[in-house]
Each structure stands twice: as structure tokens, then as C-alpha cells.
Amino acid sequence: MLGRERIEYKRPEQVLLMRRAGLVVADALAAVRAAVRPGVRTAELDEVAAEVIRAAGAVPSFLGYHGYPRTLCTSVGAEVVHGIPGERVLEPGDVLSVDCGAVVEGWHGDAAFSVLVGDAGAHDAADAALVETTRRAMWEGIAALGRGLAAGDRLGVVGDAVEGCAQRAAAAGAPPLAVVEGYVGHGIGTAMHQAPEVLNHRSRSRGPKLRPGLCVAVEPMLSRGSAETDVLEDGWTVVTADGSRAAHWEHTVALGERGVWVLTAADGGAAELAERGVQVAPLG
Ligand code: MF3
Ligand code: CO
């Protein structure tokens, strides 16, 4: 398992190549986000992303991965992750998650966002809370990496932060959300999935010590109901066991000498991390 594999710590020049991949992913996801509206087929979103990646001279990383047939994962409603773009037509109020990966000169970037389709009038308030709390859980996890790096802590701070974020939202009166079980973030670099695993829940196993050169994808998945999942007959699409809606956000993050750098965020994570008292330190 990933837990036993060696971690590939990156040198600054390697992180710079990952930043190039990260920005391609950021551009592709921004183009997809702009194309999301009722009536669009998820296959059309896939074409938008594929064109951005191709035009940048990069390579989509999901296409052909263990036989995966598309550039994006598009997961709608009760689909958590790994939904395959196709003929499904987006409807007002759908919860859509879009996941994208790209490779530049052998180095990977991986990111995802969730969004509600159509005008705000068509959105369910609890679905909006699901999407927003999952987004904040991701940023809390990334901020915890920054603080944990400075404090000499371990990777387990991510799961503490993600689970804590979901619990605080419920304690503040929002409908309860479950951290999806069985799927985790991961190390990333010369492959999309590397050691170490990045847990989204609190665990007694604290993981490796945070240190410069560690690059990980932080990707919380939250559900409005069950934390358990099933895989559909297509062999890919992960759905919540009870059919409740789920959201997924992801960024690729590099740890440097002086702090974190969010490689798949256009601003490197500066705005969101400043709100959380964490400085972004490109290649620091
Ligand atoms: N981006 C997903 C992850 O973070 C992987 C997509 S699976 C694929 O783990 F097969 F579509 F590539
Ligand atoms: Co990932």
C-alpha cells in the first residue's frame, strides 16, 4: 500500500515543473466552470478541458489511467468521484464535481471543484452548504499543512482539519455532513498517485512528518448522508451508498522551506490562506 512506499521529495526545480502542470489544470478547470450551465452534456465539458490541456502542450493524466476513457471526471448528484463524462445533460440545481489532471514534462497536477448548476434560485440551501463546507474543508486542510510544516507536525493535521471543519459546520446549525470513507488524497509528482495517503478523517496514525519537498493532493469528499460508497457497474463511478448528494474539492500543494504553495490555484492559494493566517511561500 501507499503507506509503505517511499516518498518522492521534490527539489525546487521539480516543483516549478509541477507548477506548470498545476496552472494548466487551473486553466482547464476555469474554462470548464465557465461552460457549466443547464442543458450542457458532461461530454462537452470534457472537450473543453481536453482542448485547454492540448493547447498548452500538456497531456491529460486521467485519459488511459487504468483504462479510464476521458480527460475529466464529472460526478453529478449522488456521484462522489470518478463519474465518466457522457451524454448526461446538466439540470438546474444539480451538484456537479469536476476533477482534472494534467502532465507537463512528466510532472503532474490534479485538482477538482464542485458547483451548483444554474441560477441560485434553483439551488437547494443544503446543497449549497455541502459545496461550500467541502470547499472550506479543503482550504482548512491546506492551511493545516502550512501551520504543521512550521510546527514540525505530521500529515495527519489534514484529516483533523477536514473532519473538524465538517463538525463545526454542523455544530453551527447546518445540516450534518459526513466525511466520505475509503477515498483519500495522495502524494503527487512523477505519477498522479504516490505515497503518502492523505486521510480526510482524524486518525491515530499521524503519517509522515511534514517537510520541504513533500507534494500532496488534498481532496476532501463530503456527503449529505452516508459516508459509505458503492461503485457503479461502469467500474468507475463512485456513489454514496444511500443516494445522498456529495461534493469534492481538490488542490495540489507543495511544501517548501518557508511554507506552502498551492500549485493548482492561479494565485498559489494566497487569498484563501491569508484568511486563515497562513503565508504562501512559492519555492520558499
Ligand atoms: N483525480 C483523481 C484523484 O484525485 C483521480 C482520477 S481517477 C482517473 O485521485 F482514473 F480518472 F484518473
Ligand atoms: Co487526486
Side-chain angles (χ1 to χ4, degrees):
M1 271 309 290
L2 285 176
R4 291 182 209 283
E5 285 170 34
R6 242 184 75 242
I7 295 172
E8 174 187 84
Y9 292 95
K10 283 76 174 175
R11 296 190 302 274
E13 67 271 22
Q14 297 173 324
V15 173
L16 279 174
L17 289 172
M18 289 183 66
R19 173 60 165 169
R20 285 175 55 195
L23 287 177
V24 172
V25 170
D27 286 349
L29 288 179
V32 168
R33 187 186 263 281
V36 170
R37 61 178 181 281
V40 166
R41 289 176 300 118
T42 51
E44 294 175 65
L45 301 179
D46 198 71
E47 285 158 22
V48 167
E51 178 54 26
V52 172
I53 293 170
R54 193 206 57 76
V59 176
S61 52
F62 298 0
L63 185 64
Y65 179 84
H66 294 282
Y68 187 77
R70 295 287 188 165
T71 293
L72 295 179
C73 297
T74 51
S75 307
V76 184
E79 299 172 359
V80 183
V81 286
H82 305 169
I84 304 172
E87 298 312 307
R88 181 169 187 153
V89 176
L90 297 176
E91 294 177 13
D94 275 345
V95 180
L96 168 70
S97 303
V98 181
D99 193 344
C100 182
V103 193
V104 170
E105 294 184 34
W107 293 90
H108 285 251
D110 186 4
F113 69 90
S114 292
V115 68
L116 295 183
V117 176
D119 297 332
H123 299 170
D124 180 286
D127 286 340
L130 166 72
V131 169
E132 178 59 10
T133 302
T134 310
R135 190 187 74 83
R136 282 196 284 107
M138 174 191 66
W139 283 110
E140 293 298 334
I142 296 169
L145 283 176
R147 291 187 208 104
L149 176 68
D153 212 329
R154 291 178 180 270
L155 188 58
V157 295
V158 174
D160 300 344
V162 167
E163 197 174 317
C165 185
Q167 287 173 342
R168 277 197 308 280
L177 299 173
V179 177
V180 170
E181 289 168 10
Y183 294 87
V184 296
H186 48 92
I188 179 168
T190 54
M192 174 165 60
H193 291 143
Q194 299 183 322
E197 290 187 338
V198 183
L199 303 184
N200 288 318
H201 55 82
R202 291 198 181 92
S203 173
R204 287 175 60 181
S205 71
R206 302 304 300 159
K209 206 162 170 188
L210 299 173
R211 71 165 173 94
L214 182 68
C215 295
V216 291
V218 174
E219 49 175 322
M221 289 146 265
L222 301 188
S223 154
R224 285 184 55 188
S226 177
E228 287 166 41
T229 59
D230 297 310
V231 177
L232 297 186
E233 274 171 16
D234 63 18
W236 285 103
T237 311
V238 177
V239 296
T240 55
D242 63 356
S244 54
R245 291 173 181 176
H248 173 221
W249 282 79
E250 177 175 20
H251 269 309
T252 297
V253 184
L255 276 54
E257 292 293 340
R258 288 185 299 116
V260 293
W261 192 17
V262 184
L263 302 177
T264 44
D267 73 347
E272 291 289 338
L273 293 176
E275 282 181 24
R276 294 167 174 83
V278 172
Q279 278 265 336
V280 165
L283 288 190

